Amino acid sequence: MTDPIRVLIADDEALVRGGFRVLIDTEPGMIVVGEAGDGATAVELTRQTRPDVVLMDIRMPGVDGLSATHQIAADPDLAGVHVLILTTFDHDEYVIDALSAGAAGFLIKNTEPVQLLRGIRVVAGGEALLSPGLTRRLIAQLTARSTTPRIDARAMAELTTRERQIVGLVAQGLSNTEIATTLTISHATAKTHVSRAMTKLGARDRAQLVVLAYRHQLVEPPAP
């Protein structure tokens, strides 16, 4: 029997935490292991409980969610913990800052419950997740940053046909599991292709891989 996904909820509103707890605890294969009302407590409880996923609000008193995310991501003892930012704010700078701080995903609080539960599973599996509707703005922001790798045609040419296809699917927001289903291949094969493509293109993470995919026209840009 597979162990349940362990989730820590960090939000300064008790009613919000309560709602998330009910949703998660009633979902088969998931369990809430703790609640925190501020970033400092979130970091402390993360070190104590070692959850698979931390649902992290951005705006909290004292230590905010971005600072807490950075502390968790920078702690080698918490390498197995994945932070999913969940907030009412979808401004570009929050998305960029959250990903830069080490978050594995970003969702808006008005996301449908089924999408939130899917998001928890995706990041628990070690994949990145962006809220629908944020991709276009993320691309515009990241392509303007010097930290985004700029590759030449030779690096792109090193991709196999299958790798180019898979990079395009990553840019459309598909997880490794969804890519595997779409292409009728195993999850392990999809993950391997994504990893090889990131290595060849010098992409640090999936967000940078998305930028490169659009820059080199492996997929059509999303509509405004």
Side-chain angles (χ1 to χ4, degrees), residues 1 3 12-13 28 32 39 46 53 57 74 77 81-82 86 105 115-116 146 154 162-163 180 190 203 205 211 214-215:
M1 183 176 178
D3 292 334
D12 62 341
E13 296 185 35
V32 174
T46 297
V53 177
D57 188 25
D77 291 335
V81 178
H82 307 283
L86 197 62
Q115 292 300 319
L116 171 59
S146 59
R154 289 175 297 178
R162 176 64 93 186
E163 287 168 352
D205 50 35
V211 173
Y214 283 106
R215 176 179 293 157

Side-chain angles (χ1 to χ4, degrees), residues 140-189:
Q141 289 284 338
L142 289 181
T143 52
R145 294 194 170 203
S146 59
T147 55
T148 302
R150 297 183 178 276
I151 60 176
D152 57 28
R154 289 175 297 178
M156 183 60 65
E158 290 183 7
L159 294 181
T160 64
T161 300
R162 176 64 93 186
E163 287 168 352
R164 292 171 68 92
Q165 183 182 27
I166 286 179
V167 170
L169 294 176
V170 170
Q172 293 176 37
L174 273 65
S175 68
N176 289 348
T177 299
E178 291 167 333
I179 290 172
T181 300
T182 299
L183 299 180
T184 318
I185 58 178
S186 70
H187 178 275
T189 298

Side-chain angles (χ1 to χ4, degrees), residues 156 164 167-168 171 209-221:
M156 183 60 65
R164 292 171 68 92
V167 170
L209 193 60
V210 168
V211 173
L212 293 171
Y214 283 106
R215 176 179 293 157
H216 293 274
Q217 301 180 333
L218 294 182
V219 65
E220 290 295 321

Side-chain angles (χ1 to χ4, degrees), residues 46-87:
T46 297
R47 288 172 174 151
Q48 291 176 5
T49 63
R50 303 298 173 92
D52 300 298
V53 177
V54 179
L55 283 185
M56 184 80 76
D57 188 25
I58 286 183
R59 290 193 171 180
M60 292 187 290
V63 177
D64 64 20
L66 293 178
S67 296
T69 297
H70 180 76
Q71 291 181 45
I72 292 171
D75 189 337
D77 291 335
L78 301 178
V81 178
H82 307 283
V83 177
L84 177 57
I85 297 289
L86 197 62
T87 181

Side-chain angles (χ1 to χ4, degrees), residues 196-215:
R196 287 177 178 172
M198 289 175 62
T199 298
K200 289 179 180 180
L201 301 181
R204 183 190 67 237
D205 50 35
R206 287 173 83 103
Q208 288 190 342
L209 193 60
V210 168
V211 173
L212 293 171
Y214 283 106
R215 176 179 293 157

